[in-house]
Amino acid sequence: MGSSLPPKEANLFKVIVKSYETKQYKKGLKAADSILKKFPEHGETLSMKGLTLNCMDRKSEAYELVRRGLKNDLKSHVCWHVYGLLYRSDREYREAIKCYRNALRIDPDNIEILRDLSLLQAQMRDLSGFVETRQQLLSLKPNHRMNWIGFAVAHHLNSNSSKAIEVLEAYEGTLEDDYPPDNERYEHSEMLLYKISLFEECGMLDRALEEMQKKESKIVDKLSFKEQMASILFKLGRFDESESIYRSLLFMNPDNYKYFIAVQKCLGLYSDNGQYSANDVERLSALYNSLKEKYAWSSAVKRIPLDFLEGEKFQEAADSYVRPLLTKGVPSLFSDLSPLYEHPGKANILEQLFLKIEDSIRTSGCFPGSPQKEPPSTLLWTLFLISQHYDRRGQYEIALNKIDEAISHTPTVIDLYSVKGKISQHAGNFAAAAALADEARSMDLADRYLNSECVMQMLQADQVGLAEKTAVLFTKDGDQHNNLHDMQCMWYELASGESYFRQGDLGRALKNFLAVEKHYADMTEDQFDFHSYCLRKMTLRAYVSMLKFQDRLHAHEYFHKAAAGAIRCYMKLHESPTKSSTEENDEMSKLPPAQRKKLRQKQKKAEARAKREAEEKQEDETSSSNTSKSGKKQNARPVDLDPHGEKLVQIEDPLAEATKYLKLLQNNSSSSLETHILSFELNMRKQKILLAFQAVKQLIKLDENNPDSHRCLIKFFHKINSLPTPGTDSEKLIWNVLEAERPDIRKLHGKSLIEVSRSFLEKHNGNYSDVLYCYFPDHDLTLFCQYFFASFIDAPSSSC
């Protein structure tokens, strides 16, 4: 570096590099300017000055200087490396990799460039390249632990776990017998546990067990050691030994559901579908009775039997479980019991039990069969539980009566108002739900959860302005939108987007949905720093787990909602586009020249004034927060020039934008009905008949009894039947494909679309049709079927 410079300037060049590494950018710029006074075209100095300016947010100057430096010295690995660093800072990873590779052609053994390249290859999942780069680093510096570990992890990520084990064993062969020293025990322990997990992943269970027994004294994390040992013993079929370890783990944490399930599996008493024989239920009851004696304080040991017990035994167990919790007043009791409502018959038993308890407490002040008097609050929490029970069963009027009685009993309990709000929401009264949530919030202004719950209810009631004012109470001073965005408050952005969509404000809706999409892009970028950190700190199991999580990041529920919302917005824009700039220019061209000139000047002044006001507002809001504790001025947040998403709706091809997000959903959420419903709706608008048919086939495959699946099927073939006779070769080919595929759809066998809809309604009478039957008091099935068929043809992508 700087080798072509005289000694004085070469020393100054080293100052530039050191200043960049220590973030003393002004000092680095001063040194660079000193060199450039004598050597104005020195390529490496120009590049380093550009890199320094990039760190000072002067990007355009930075790129100009780096490109100029590279042009002056194409054979300098420093210039290529700096150019790669510049691209990396702008997340242009593929371009950065190209620059690093050019630098390595000039200096193939440069460890710093190789290390930077390996990080980018891990980020971009270029796993074969990652293995090659890590192997080169190891061959250049074999005495460095991180190079051995990095090479092993690279093979593991590249689906070659056996090779990763060989690398780790070769590394262990370089260590002395008394390794590790006290200050490296944790790192070495993590490496051993990672190696054992590789054995387990390869199916080499005997070797994994042998390794654990041999290296037990060197493993620091005893909890992970026990859990992994129990798992390996179970896979080897040594159930008694595995059970013994899981029981010792239960002694450490008797509320861990996983340990209880593991003990059941060791005893052969676990069923994935929750169905058990009478003999298994008897054995499970005996198991949990013995565990209850040992861990009387454990909540899990009392709750788990409710999942497998039936009939009277279930009622007795549920009774003994809920009584102390009602006495204590546990608001989360219903949330704990709610999974039981999925079991046939248990909801009825619970209803009888709750009503029996309520009646007994009203009449005698005691639980049924108990002489002990209960405090007055027990009736309150019983009514609270019963109201949630009726809410879950859809009997909203009874639920509201019960919760009103509880409120009249003790008007100061906040949870009562929250639950009443949720009941109102489920009943469809969103305005009342928002008002009740706000009343609950006002009773404890320091509770962030109540504030968030209130904001959510307000957004569902389309009270966006009020929701914003409420949300800002728990954000930093300044612009609440930016603070909520910085905190990645995705539930707020999703609910806001949905509310704006319902109100027809597609710009603001898109703004919120795309903000969520940006959060996921940021999460993907956030993994970059961990590629070197985790190898250095030896948190290898967590690192691999994090990478696997990142690979399925876009399958997360929030991303799915945001992408689906954006697709719906773009489809709505396609149906009713806003005025484009071209149309506005056309309208302006019709005006007289003087009037046109005056209007353009007015628009420019308005834009400049809006930008200036936004900048002034930004300065005012951040003036107090821009200064750190050390007194240094921090970078201000860039001004959002499109706060209402007006530019987002000014796009030429909304369906092309929607297709980008649809592809992400198809790649990451292919098991979701909504993905294929959106695919059907989008491809029908694009006149992509075969892609729409593919979506219909996927819907039928996933759930043919779903009303949306049926609607898409009927709508598709109604559209096909209304098309003119195919004329071109491509149209004939599409028609032939559809004719060949149609017999495979058993719903359509020899039936008209009206008959298919009639049979669907008859099959699901009492489930989906109850809502629509209210339009037909005489239950005229023919009239209803015609209405239902028409609704299928014209309905949007919402469920029937």
Side-chain angles (χ1 to χ4, degrees):
M1 291 190 297
S3 56
S4 60
L5 294 169
K8 182 182 177 183
E9 280 72 22
N11 288 332
L12 280 173
F13 189 84
K14 290 178 183 177
V15 171
I16 300 172
V17 176
K18 189 174 180 180
S19 299
Y20 168 73
E21 291 172 349
T22 56
K23 299 184 179 180
Q24 295 177 318
Y25 303 126
K26 288 185 179 179
K27 185 178 178 182
L29 276 181
K30 187 177 179 181
D33 289 335
S34 298
I35 297 173
L36 292 172
K37 280 179 183 177
K38 292 184 179 180
F39 304 95
E41 298 301 321
H42 186 253
E44 293 182 359
T45 305
L46 287 168
S47 295
M48 283 305 300
K49 183 180 178 181
L51 185 61
T52 305
L53 288 172
N54 183 62
C55 297
M56 300 171 74
D57 287 332
R58 293 160 65 178
K59 288 192 177 293
S60 57
E61 295 176 66
Y63 272 99
E64 184 182 344
L65 283 169
V66 171
R67 285 169 182 151
R68 189 172 138 209
L70 185 61
K71 183 181 177 181
N72 291 338
D73 196 352
L74 275 170
K75 292 186 178 180
S76 169
H77 70 275
V78 174
C79 292
W80 281 110
H81 189 194
V82 167
Y83 201 19
L85 291 172
L86 212 60
Y87 274 124
R88 192 184 80 177
S89 69
D90 287 337
R91 300 179 178 180
E92 297 283 350
Y93 295 136
R94 297 195 186 281
E95 294 300 320
I97 288 173
K98 290 177 186 176
C99 294
Y100 289 158
R101 291 197 180 280
N102 285 330
L104 288 171
R105 288 192 186 99
I106 300 163
D107 187 3
D109 294 337
N110 189 302
I111 289 176
E112 190 177 347
I113 299 173
L114 285 168
R115 191 184 300 118
D116 285 346
L117 176 61
S118 71
L119 298 179
L120 288 182
Q121 288 168 329
Q123 178 79 4
M124 299 302 293
R125 301 299 191 268
D126 176 13
L127 299 179
S128 57
F130 186 40
V131 171
E132 290 174 13
T133 306
R134 275 289 159 192
Q135 185 174 15
Q136 197 172 349
L137 279 166
L138 179 60
S139 62
L140 289 170
K141 220 169 182 182
N143 59 343
H144 201 298
R145 179 186 71 184
M146 187 172 167
N147 290 338
W148 285 96
I149 301 303
F151 189 38
V153 170
H155 276 298
H156 181 202
L157 295 176
N158 200 33
S159 304
N160 194 350
S161 300
S162 57
K163 187 68 177 177
I165 293 170
E166 290 176 21
V167 173
L168 291 175
E169 288 181 336
Y171 166 67
E172 286 184 276
T174 66
L175 304 176
E176 298 177 1
D177 293 338
D178 61 347
Y179 190 86
D182 288 343
N183 63 338
E184 293 184 19
R185 286 190 66 206
Y186 174 78
E187 287 83 353
H188 189 67
S189 165
E190 281 296 306
M191 190 270 288
L192 292 174
L193 286 170
Y194 174 64
K195 181 184 171 185
I196 291 162
S197 70
L198 289 175
F199 278 126
E200 192 174 358
E201 190 175 306
C202 290
M204 303 160 68
L205 300 176
D206 291 315
R207 284 196 64 186
L209 187 60
E210 181 186 345
E211 185 77 10
M212 293 195 81
Q213 291 168 343
K214 193 195 305 184
K215 302 289 176 64
E216 181 177 0
S217 61
K218 294 187 176 183
I219 294 176
V220 178
D221 188 348
K222 297 302 180 185
L223 179 63
S224 293
F225 175 82
K226 283 189 171 186
E227 289 178 339
Q228 207 155 0
M229 174 75 84
S231 172
I232 291 168
L233 287 169
F234 179 82
K235 290 177 181 177
L236 285 169
R238 294 161 66 171
F239 301 126
D240 291 341
E241 295 172 72
S242 178
E243 181 196 350
S244 175
I245 295 174
Y246 279 122
R247 284 182 180 270
S248 69
L249 288 167
L250 272 177
F251 181 76
M252 295 168 65
N253 184 1
D255 277 312
N256 191 317
Y257 277 62
K258 291 180 182 177
Y259 298 157
F260 285 103
I261 299 302
V263 170
Q264 285 183 223
K265 288 181 177 179
C266 291
L267 295 170
L269 294 174
Y270 181 75
S271 170
D272 290 326
N273 59 10
Q275 302 295 320
Y276 297 95
S277 65
N279 183 47
D280 286 345
V281 170
E282 191 174 334
R283 290 176 61 198
L284 281 168
S285 298
L287 168 67
Y288 279 96
N289 284 335
S290 65
L291 290 171
K292 198 183 296 181
E293 291 175 7
K294 195 171 184 181
Y295 307 113
W297 65 93
S298 168
S299 172
V301 78
K302 301 167 188 170
R303 170 63 183 82
I304 293 174
L306 299 181
D307 291 328
F308 59 79
L309 292 173
E310 300 287 345
E312 291 184 9
K313 289 185 178 179
F314 169 75
Q315 184 173 359
E316 290 172 10
D319 191 12
S320 62
Y321 182 72
V322 302
R323 284 189 184 193
L325 299 178
L326 289 173
T327 302
K328 190 177 180 181
V330 177
S332 61
L333 174 58
F334 182 78
S335 298
D336 189 14
L337 297 174
S338 61
L340 297 173
Y341 285 71
E342 304 295 332
H343 296 242
K346 288 190 176 180
N348 292 329
I349 295 173
L350 287 173
E351 183 173 323
Q352 294 170 11
L353 172 64
F354 297 159
L355 293 176
K356 184 179 177 183
I357 290 173
E358 179 195 7
D359 182 61
S360 178
I361 292 174
R362 282 183 189 279
T363 54
S364 63
C366 309
F367 284 121
S370 171
Q372 185 177 352
K373 287 283 183 180
E374 291 296 316
S377 61
T378 304
L379 177 60
L380 164 72
W381 294 112
T382 303
L383 291 168
F384 182 72
L385 178 64
I386 292 172
S387 67
Q388 291 172 288
H389 163 80
Y390 281 118
D391 177 37
R392 173 63 185 260
R393 305 202 79 180
Q395 296 174 277
Y396 304 121
E397 190 175 345
I398 302 175
L400 286 170
N401 290 336
K402 293 293 181 183
I403 201 68
D404 283 337
E405 187 178 350
I407 290 171
S408 63
H409 183 282
T410 311
T412 55
V413 178
I414 300 173
D415 296 286
L416 302 178
Y417 298 91
S418 295
V419 165
K420 185 177 180 182
K422 289 178 182 177
I423 296 170
S424 299
Q425 176 198 348
H426 298 157
N429 192 346
F430 298 118
L436 286 161
D438 191 43
E439 188 173 355
R441 180 194 66 82
S442 64
M443 294 173 74
D444 187 355
L445 297 174
D447 193 318
R448 183 189 289 268
Y449 171 77
L450 291 175
N451 182 275
S452 300
E453 185 69 29
C454 177
V455 170
M456 177 63 84
Q457 296 285 18
M458 287 174 173
L459 289 172
Q460 288 189 339
D462 294 335
Q463 300 170 1
V464 182
L466 193 55
E468 288 176 3
K469 291 177 182 176
T470 307
V472 76
L473 297 174
F474 276 87
T475 61
K476 297 177 184 177
D477 293 336
D479 186 356
Q480 62 266 35
H481 288 292
N482 284 328
N483 284 318
L484 290 166
H485 180 77
D486 292 342
M487 291 190 293
Q488 296 187 341
C489 192
M490 289 185 278
W491 64 263
Y492 174 82
E493 288 166 331
L494 285 170
S496 294
E498 293 290 351
S499 178
Y500 282 126
F501 180 78
R502 287 192 296 269
Q503 296 176 64
D505 191 341
L506 298 181
R508 282 188 170 96
L510 267 176
K511 186 83 174 174
N512 281 282
F513 290 137
L514 298 187
V516 174
E517 190 266 341
K518 186 181 182 303
H519 294 324
Y520 280 88
D522 291 340
M523 289 178 205
T524 302
E525 299 303 326
D526 288 343
Q527 68 178 300
F528 185 84
D529 293 330
F530 291 95
H531 297 311
S532 58
Y533 174 85
C534 292
L535 295 181
R536 189 171 68 252
K537 293 293 186 181
M538 298 287 281
T539 54
L540 305 177
R541 293 175 299 150
Y543 174 58
V544 173
S545 176
M546 183 269 292
L547 292 181
K548 290 178 179 177
F549 164 76
Q550 287 283 353
D551 289 339
R552 59 178 187 276
L553 181 66
H554 289 90
H556 193 270
E557 178 189 2
Y558 278 1
F559 180 83
H560 179 95
K561 288 181 177 179
I567 292 169
R568 291 197 305 272
C569 287
Y570 285 125
M571 289 195 295
K572 197 79 172 174
L573 275 174
H574 172 73
E575 292 166 1
S576 51
T578 57
K579 283 187 179 180
S580 66
S581 57
T582 308
E583 289 172 336
E584 288 177 357
N585 289 336
D586 289 342
E587 288 180 7
M588 195 178 289
S589 64
K590 296 175 184 177
L591 298 172
Q595 196 173 347
R596 187 165 62 241
K597 184 179 179 181
K598 188 176 180 182
L599 186 60
R600 278 179 177 158
Q601 287 176 347
K602 191 175 180 181
Q603 286 177 345
K604 284 180 182 178
K605 286 180 181 178
E607 287 175 6
R609 185 169 61 253
K611 184 177 180 180
R612 187 170 60 253
E613 287 175 357
E615 288 174 348
E616 288 173 359
K617 182 182 177 185
Q618 186 73 18
E619 287 175 7
D620 292 341
E621 290 175 349
T622 57
S623 58
S624 59
S625 59
N626 273 355
T627 306
S628 64
K629 291 181 180 179
S630 61
K632 293 181 180 179
K633 193 172 182 180
Q634 299 174 340
N635 292 330
R637 185 188 291 110
V639 177
D640 186 358
L641 299 177
D642 187 26
H644 304 313
E646 292 168 358
K647 292 180 182 177
L648 293 174
V649 297
Q650 299 290 344
I651 51 174
E652 293 182 5
D653 191 354
L655 296 186
E657 292 294 320
T659 304
K660 295 177 187 177
Y661 292 99
L662 178 63
K663 286 178 180 176
L664 284 171
L665 291 183
Q666 288 174 327
N667 291 334
N668 297 284
S669 303
S670 57
S671 60
S672 167
L673 277 174
E674 187 178 22
T675 297
H676 301 293
I677 292 168
L678 291 169
S679 175
F680 170 78
E681 296 290 352
L682 183 57
N683 285 304
M684 287 295 281
R685 285 166 172 78
K686 293 171 69 177
Q687 301 297 317
K688 301 286 186 182
I689 300 299
L690 291 181
L691 290 176
F693 183 58
Q694 186 182 54
V696 170
K697 289 185 69 177
Q698 286 293 333
L699 286 168
I700 292 172
K701 182 180 177 181
L702 287 172
D703 186 1
E704 67 176 357
N705 293 319
N706 185 280
D708 271 328
S709 300
H710 184 72
R711 178 186 59 79
C712 291
L713 173 72
I714 298 297
K715 187 174 181 180
F716 177 79
F717 280 103
H718 176 72
K719 173 73 173 176
I720 294 302
N721 293 342
S722 64
L723 290 176
T725 307
T728 64
D729 291 340
S730 60
E731 289 175 351
K732 289 177 182 177
L733 181 62
I734 291 171
W735 189 266
N736 290 336
V737 170
L738 294 176
E739 287 299 313
E741 291 283 344
R742 185 164 181 157
D744 293 339
I745 302 176
R746 56 190 181 88
K747 275 189 172 186
L748 299 177
H749 287 177
K751 295 180 181 178
S752 68
L753 298 184
I754 289 284
E755 290 172 333
V756 172
S757 285
R758 178 190 287 271
S759 62
F760 182 85
L761 291 176
E762 289 173 347
K763 182 178 179 181
H764 297 287
N765 186 22
N767 291 328
Y768 306 122
S769 58
D770 285 347
V771 176
L772 293 178
Y773 261 130
C774 64
Y775 294 108
F776 303 95
D778 299 329
H779 288 198
D780 184 339
L781 188 58
T782 304
L783 180 60
F784 177 59
C785 187
Q786 290 171 356
Y787 171 84
F788 193 60
F789 175 68
S791 70
F792 270 135
I793 302 306
D794 300 325
S797 59
S798 59
S799 173
C800 295

